[in-house]
Amino acid sequence: MSPFLFWIFAGLMLVFGAGVVLNRNPVASALSLVVSFLGLAALFMSLDAYFIGIIQVLVYAGAVMVLFLFIIMLLDLRAEKLRKINWLASAGGIAVAVALSVQILYVIGNFRFSQQPFPPLARSTVDDVHHVGSLLFENYNLPFQIIGVLVLVATIGVVVLSKRELR
Amino acid sequence: MYIELLKLASPETVVVVTALVVLALGLANERTAGLCSGVAAAGLLFAVAAVLMLPQQATLFHGMLVITPLTSLFKIICLVLAFFTVILARADLSSRNRGEYLALVLLATIGLMLLVGSEELLMIFIGLELTGLSLYVMAGFDKTDVRSAEAGLKYFLFGSTASAFTLFGISFIYGMTGTTALAAIGQKLTTAPVQPLLFVGIVMTLIGFAFKIAAAPFHLWAPDTYQGAPVPSAAFIASGSKVASFVVLGKIVLVGFGPAQGSAAWHAMVAGWAPVLAALAALSILIGNLVALAQTNVRRLLAYSAVAHAGYTLLGLVAGGREGFSATLFYTTVYAFTLVGAFGVVALVRRETGGDDLKNFSGLSSRSPLLAGCMSIFMLSLAGLPPLAGFFGKFYLFSAALRAVDNNGLLWLVAIALFGSLISLYYYLMVLKVIFVDEKSSSTTQPLNPSTSADFLQEISLTVLAAVVLFLGVMPGTLVARIIAAVQ
């Protein structure tokens, strides 16, 4: 991918990521998050990680965020709009974020590998969906199935704990 | 390969199928819901049979599923503990949502069996989560009781934070060694230079287990959860989850982190996991025993005594080696059976008098000599008096710790443990004094439900548990020999 496209998608992600926090309307925040996820997916694709990019769109931007929107629309969130901004807390938050960014930049700058260009990945004849599938169903077969049991436990728990008891 | 997997995981498969059947029966209609407990108990017994039919030695997927005499023995112990929990639950729960509750017990048991039977960090983490999620729901299951909600919430918040730490620690370990199999990690660490990042990873991994075994200072959830959760849930949290956690913790530190043991000997400490566990043990023994002195509720008292017992049990791991590990395994098994029994007595008293404070136990010896007798066996075993199993367990632990390091280096830890046991004698005898000496005050409430046939079954199981504790005290060799033979 050309650097030009990288800057477009990275900028898109950052602008809409900031939009998630800055918007007072929760629905607008959620929609900005969707756009930010799409930018992230494009970046994954540019790194040749097509599977993760597609999953990012299908699962996060598609399923999870739409569910999130439903919940936001069902809840009454007017209180959030009326809340005043606490300037002191925002200033503190910005200070922490800046300090963290400086630290990360410093560490990356001193990191040996960051000075040299990343070697191109070896081209494989098998696509990565195939790789993920064969790993899941061969080496990690048992954990994969146990995760199924784990999801069952979560479902039972949610239903039992949130069900309204009839008296 | 899949047939092989199905064959080697047959006990887990049996339990999963039983859980699904129980869930379906509970949903079908009122009449079939009554069958749930029976089906669950039968399924657990089938699973025990399936464990007995497993081969002696087998490994699948680089250690994700390991079968040795040790794992088989502890799978059976976990299944038996789940069996007693099901019997406890049979009488204790209202008929509402019984199927779901028993299904959760069974699914938690699968988590325990996977924990016991795995030597791979990924699988261990999934097992921890499976057990944890089921137990969180079980702790908050009684929606008519606000204390149960408190118990569930506290257990969930502490538990999820602790698992986050463990996962972070595991990722450090994986980053340094490039593998998640315990044996391979152990090999890598013998040659790799010791670096601070490794210790960060080890300490973070241990935090999650310290939470599971309720060692101080990660014990803050225990009193509220033991007191507020439904009695069978509390019993299972205190027994099954603890046994499996100690087995896994032992495997992780002795097999995986073996080269980074260090030493906790007096004036000769060497950095490693042994001093960390020694500090946890000393803190648990002191805090657990001293705070237990001030409790007026029997379940809270048991919770603080559980903290202290976690400390004693850690002594074996600090000692390390084959002998220390077997001492830990024996002690935690005995402790689990004793505690299920003690919670069984608490459940019956609670049903009869409507509470589980110390005063509810007054005059128990005249009301029910059998319950009083069982309770005294459990309490004296916890206190560690001969000829009960608790005495032998402690003796074995302390002697293993003394012999492990040259010049009696661990004497300071053993001295603290002995001091703690001395304190604990007071509050265990306090419970017995209330049971045998205090008169039942006339003001206590009327019996809530008159005794039913379920009580009979429960009394039989309590008698069996008391007999087990007595038997393991008189002839500890039967279990110890098995454990020593199984620990390579």
Side-chain angles (χ1 to χ4, degrees):
Chain A
M1 189 197 270
S2 67
F4 181 64
L5 281 179
F6 168 79
W7 288 114
I8 287 185
F9 284 120
L12 204 69
M13 256 185 78
L14 288 179
V15 169
F16 280 90
V20 178
V21 190
L22 296 178
N23 261 313
R24 307 311 301 275
N25 183 351
V27 179
S29 291
L31 288 175
S32 327
L33 193 57
V34 172
V35 179
S36 175
F37 277 156
L38 290 178
L40 183 62
L43 289 186
F44 274 133
M45 301 249 186
S46 75
L47 292 172
D48 279 351
Y50 295 104
F51 181 64
I52 300 181
I54 291 168
I55 287 295
Q56 183 78 24
V57 174
L58 285 182
V59 175
Y60 282 90
V64 174
M65 280 319 295
V66 170
L67 266 181
F68 223 80
L69 270 180
F70 269 119
I71 293 168
I72 289 172
M73 287 173 178
L74 287 177
L75 294 177
D76 184 25
L77 291 175
R78 218 161 293 156
E80 174 65 24
K81 273 189 206 165
L82 300 177
R83 204 167 53 95
K84 284 213 187 82
I85 295 178
N86 183 350
W87 288 108
L88 196 65
S90 320
I94 290 172
V96 169
V98 169
L100 188 66
S101 319
V102 169
Q103 268 184 338
I104 290 177
L105 283 178
Y106 179 73
V107 170
I108 291 180
N110 284 329
F111 196 49
R112 194 154 35 88
F113 291 108
S114 65
Q115 261 90 39
Q116 56 205 37
F118 197 75
L121 291 175
R123 289 274 155 201
S124 79
T125 48
V126 191
D127 51 310
D128 43 358
V129 182
H130 191 107
H131 268 304
V132 172
S134 64
L135 267 184
L136 270 187
F137 286 94
E138 280 165 16
N139 282 358
Y140 294 97
N141 189 352
L142 186 62
F144 183 62
Q145 296 187 44
I146 299 303
I147 297 265
V149 179
L150 193 77
V151 174
L152 174 69
V153 169
T155 317
I156 298 175
V158 167
V159 171
V160 166
L161 291 183
S162 64
K163 193 172 76 176
R164 187 172 295 158
E165 302 284 352
L166 301 171
R167 294 188 186 272
Chain B
M1 189 176 67
Y2 297 119
I3 299 291
E4 180 84 354
L5 175 62
L6 192 65
K7 217 188 289 173
L8 294 183
S10 56
E12 286 86 352
T13 316
V14 169
V15 182
V16 172
V17 172
T18 316
L20 294 177
V21 170
V22 166
L23 202 57
L25 281 179
L27 289 175
N29 61 37
E30 286 289 307
R31 202 155 41 84
T32 53
L35 294 172
C36 284
S37 318
V39 173
L44 288 169
L45 292 181
F46 265 118
V48 170
V51 173
L52 289 176
M53 289 202 288
L54 288 176
Q56 280 282 315
Q57 294 278 353
T59 308
L60 220 56
F61 304 124
H62 313 293
M64 282 191 194
L65 189 67
V66 177
I67 292 170
T68 60
L70 182 73
T71 62
S72 297
L73 179 64
F74 276 88
K75 274 179 190 174
I76 291 177
I77 288 172
C78 289
L79 286 168
V80 171
L81 288 171
F83 181 78
F84 281 113
T85 309
V86 168
I87 291 182
L88 257 180
R90 190 188 129 91
D92 197 68
L93 289 181
S94 60
S95 56
R96 188 173 283 168
N97 294 337
R98 176 175 290 176
E100 283 88 341
Y101 187 83
L102 291 170
L104 283 173
V105 173
L106 294 172
L107 293 169
T109 313
I110 296 165
L112 299 182
M113 291 163 74
L114 290 169
L115 272 180
V116 167
S118 171
E119 293 184 357
E120 219 265 348
L121 286 175
L122 178 72
M123 207 52 216
I124 287 175
F125 183 74
I126 294 178
L128 276 179
E129 283 302 286
L130 180 57
T131 320
L133 276 185
S134 323
L135 291 179
Y136 302 148
V137 181
M138 279 166 66
F141 204 84
D142 189 356
K143 283 198 278 182
T144 57
D145 186 1
V146 70
R147 278 184 175 285
S148 172
E150 183 193 352
L153 191 65
K154 280 194 176 158
Y155 192 35
F156 171 66
L157 290 178
F158 274 97
S160 42
T161 315
S163 351
F165 269 102
T166 301
L167 193 58
F168 209 171
I170 288 177
S171 69
F172 276 147
I173 305 285
Y174 176 65
M176 262 175 298
T177 58
T179 172
T180 49
L182 287 182
I185 290 176
Q187 273 175 358
K188 279 268 167 63
L189 290 187
T190 44
T191 53
V194 174
Q195 40 181 323
L197 196 58
L198 173 70
F199 289 119
V200 174
I202 289 178
V203 169
M204 284 176 100
T205 313
L206 292 185
I207 286 177
F209 288 95
F211 158 82
K212 278 274 170 200
I213 61 175
F218 305 103
H219 66 288
L220 295 167
W221 57 274
D224 293 311
T225 303
Y226 281 33
Q227 187 185 7
V231 181
S233 314
F236 201 52
I237 290 170
S239 61
S241 152
K242 226 168 181 180
V243 171
S245 303
F246 265 114
V247 175
V248 180
L249 180 60
K251 273 202 259 188
I252 287 185
V253 293
L254 294 174
V255 179
F257 301 160
Q261 178 167 9
S263 168
W266 188 246
H267 283 315
M269 297 230 182
V270 179
W273 49 261
V276 178
L277 290 186
L280 284 178
L283 211 57
S284 307
I285 291 169
L286 290 176
I287 290 183
N289 280 321
L290 290 177
V291 182
L293 288 175
Q295 302 306 319
T296 54
N297 179 291
V298 174
R299 289 214 255 168
R300 276 189 101 78
L301 190 147
L302 284 176
Y304 280 108
S305 99
V307 175
H309 281 277
Y312 301 138
T313 319
L314 281 174
L315 239 67
L317 293 181
V318 174
R322 191 173 163 184
E323 198 179 3
F325 192 30
S326 353
T328 291
L329 292 181
F330 179 76
Y331 195 72
T332 187
T333 310
V334 167
Y335 174 76
F337 280 107
T338 317
L339 218 67
V340 171
F343 269 109
V345 176
V346 170
L348 285 176
V349 170
R350 185 180 156 83
R351 194 137 29 96
E352 221 170 280
T353 62
D356 39 32
D357 286 337
L358 267 178
K359 64 178 189 300
N360 293 93
F361 282 75
S362 57
L364 183 67
S365 63
S366 55
R367 270 180 289 152
S368 165
L370 178 72
L371 281 188
C374 288
M375 193 63 169
S376 51
I377 287 184
F378 298 138
M379 285 293 147
L380 292 177
S381 172
L382 286 177
L385 291 190
L388 297 164
F391 166 74
F392 182 77
K394 268 187 191 153
F395 180 75
Y396 191 21
L397 269 176
F398 295 171
S399 66
L402 273 186
R403 260 182 293 173
V405 183
D406 296 335
N407 294 332
N408 292 338
L410 290 178
L411 187 64
W412 64 278
L413 201 53
V414 176
I416 290 178
L418 281 175
F419 175 65
S421 325
L422 214 62
I423 302 175
S424 71
L425 203 58
Y426 172 76
Y427 57 82
Y428 291 127
L429 289 181
M430 195 68 192
V431 176
L432 294 187
K433 183 211 138 207
V434 171
I435 290 177
F436 284 97
V437 182
D438 285 8
E439 285 303 307
K440 186 177 163 51
S441 53
S442 53
S443 64
T444 41
T445 46
Q446 290 296 309
L448 293 180
N449 338 358
S451 39
T452 53
S453 65
D455 284 359
F456 184 60
L457 192 65
Q458 210 165 350
E459 278 174 1
I460 289 182
S461 64
L462 285 179
T463 319
V464 169
L465 282 170
V468 167
V469 172
L470 192 61
F471 173 77
L472 286 179
V474 179
M475 298 174 71
T478 43
L479 184 60
V480 171
R482 264 167 213 276
I483 291 179
I484 289 186
V487 176
Q488 302 96 344

